[in-house]
Amino acid sequence: MTATFDKNRTVVEKEPVMEQPPPAAGKMRKILPWATKGGLAIIDQALISGSNFLVGIFLARWMRAESYGAYALAFSISLLLTFLYQSLLLEPMAVFSGSAYRKSLRGYLSALLWIHAWLTGGGAIVLGMVTLVSYRRGGADLPGALLGVTLAAPCILLFWLARRAYYMNLEPARAAVGALVYCVLVTGGLFVVYHRGWLSPFSAFALMAFGALGTSAYLLFHVRTTLPAEEPGPTLSETWTRHWDYGRWALATSGATWIPYYMYYPLLSAFSGLKETGQLRALMNLALPLEQSFTALAMLFLPYAARLHRDEGKVGSRTLTGRIALLYTAGAGAYWLVLIPFKGPVFHLMYGGKYTEVLYLLPYVAVETILWSAAFGPTIVLRAMENPKAVFYARCAASVLAVAVGIPLTYVYGLWGCLISVILSNAAALVFAAYLLRKQVMITPDMLAKAEAEVELEVS
């Protein structure tokens, strides 16, 4: 504190001058929390994807190619239920938790648990019917794989919901702990199952169900203490109506997403047999850590993008799109630049000498995942702007191309034709998503003049 003297020689004390932090320190304080949360989100998803990755690798090593193909086919069919769930529950949840229900997350989660029960119950009935048809048609591996995924899907999706509950309040730390518990249960249990001689596609899915159900109980027990309840939660009817209004387009998008990415598993099974289906899965396993990490970041970016669009409008959304796209594309490129030069030793380490006949196709997988990664920027922002219809149109372009080109290419060229068509589909999805987002965030001269006038008014 300093002092001066006025004209009458009385002491006048001055308030201490507060030193302003340098601009770099202010930016660092803003970056560090997001870097921490982003790191925890990546750890969370890395543990999940790591356990799924290890399960896939061990099954590929320990099973016959046909059995592993049955596992891959059952998994691809279950993704239809997963996409339904993602569209009608998880994706709207990420958007509305950052906007409409930000102050009533506890009650909102209660409504979401009821929606979970209805969606997964209906999905299990459908999967059970598919299992029965497969059993009557015969086959050694596929009926058991489908039965296992019928039991596992509701448990795994509950686990996803429980983890996402912590992302609603941008607190991924507990979700990462749950992911660690799941990883230990599933990977540890897999070794027990293998050494007991019980390994099969059914036992693999049953193990996932056990790990997901146990971890979900742990996460849901703790989540209520972390979510705010400043306002009463929405009713079940209100929640479903809002989710349906948003998710019906996302639901259509999910169907359009499954076609260019996962229709090739049943196609290869029909055209070339379960062996090539297993080969495709063996190739895609190497992209799984990258894809799961980017999905984890998307869970964190989507609520943030929704808030940013609400607070800053098109200007903030436009800037965020470029940053997300650059981050994802650079990350995918770096991943494959490190992995591809060592693809021979990596394949040998992972599969014990199996699947080396498709090793030359790995660069095609790299190209398709880089294109897929680049599309995250526009699609995340379009969803945050509550415009899933635009994402649907972009996925439709990819689906039309996949059906028109992918089916004949897969029929004639098998696995190679499948990968070429996936590359073309991803390129189409990226181009259309970028174009549609550009139309959404285009800033006209009138809008710019209005924004400048508002700034001048605030300054004055």
Side-chain angles (χ1 to χ4, degrees), residues 41 68 98 155 251 258 323 345 367 452 454:
Y68 188 59
C155 303
L251 178 61
W258 186 88
R323 291 176 178 174
V367 173
E452 291 175 350
E454 290 177 352

Side-chain angles (χ1 to χ4, degrees), residues 228-310:
E230 301 172 26
E231 297 177 358
T235 64
L236 177 60
S237 175
E238 176 191 344
T239 305
W240 173 250
T241 300
R242 188 181 284 268
H243 274 236
W244 175 252
D245 288 341
Y246 178 99
R248 56 186 177 181
W249 282 105
L251 178 61
T253 303
S254 295
T257 300
W258 186 88
I259 291 173
Y261 295 107
Y262 298 103
M263 74 172 189
Y264 298 102
Y265 290 97
L267 278 181
L268 282 172
S269 299
F271 295 156
S272 307
L274 288 174
K275 182 177 180 179
E276 283 205 11
T277 306
Q279 291 173 343
L280 175 61
R281 182 66 183 180
L283 284 168
M284 291 301 181
N285 279 338
L286 276 80
L288 188 61
L290 179 69
E291 293 176 358
Q292 295 291 339
S293 298
F294 285 174
T295 301
L297 286 177
M299 290 192 296
L300 196 63
F301 282 139
L302 188 52
Y304 174 70
R307 296 181 190 181
L308 188 70
H309 178 67
R310 181 195 60 194

Side-chain angles (χ1 to χ4, degrees), residues 18-49:
M18 300 296 294
E19 294 184 2
Q20 297 294 326
K27 290 182 180 179
M28 186 61 65
R29 281 202 298 268
K30 292 180 179 180
I31 291 173
L32 281 177
W34 277 101
T36 302
K37 291 178 180 179
L40 287 169
I42 291 175
I43 291 171
D44 170 35
Q45 196 63 44
L47 288 167
I48 298 300
S49 63

Side-chain angles (χ1 to χ4, degrees), residues 15 35 51 63-64 106 116 173 184-185 235 240 251 259 261 287 291 296 309 328 336 341-342 353 356 361 376 378:
E15 292 295 326
S51 60
M63 286 181 176
R64 296 178 297 108
R106 196 178 302 174
H116 163 85
V184 171
L185 288 175
T235 64
W240 173 250
L251 178 61
I259 291 173
Y261 295 107
E291 293 176 358
H309 178 67
Y328 277 40
W336 289 112
F342 303 100
T356 54
L361 293 173
F376 261 99

Side-chain angles (χ1 to χ4, degrees), residues 1 21 81 240 271 294 306 325 343 349 379 411 415 437 455:
M1 181 177 291
L81 174 59
W240 173 250
F271 295 156
F294 285 174
K343 60 182 183 294
L349 178 64
T379 54
Y411 178 76
L415 187 54
L437 179 66
V455 172

Side-chain angles (χ1 to χ4, degrees), residues 290 328-338 370:
L290 179 69
Y328 277 40
T329 306
Y335 176 84
W336 289 112
L337 281 174
V338 172
I370 289 172

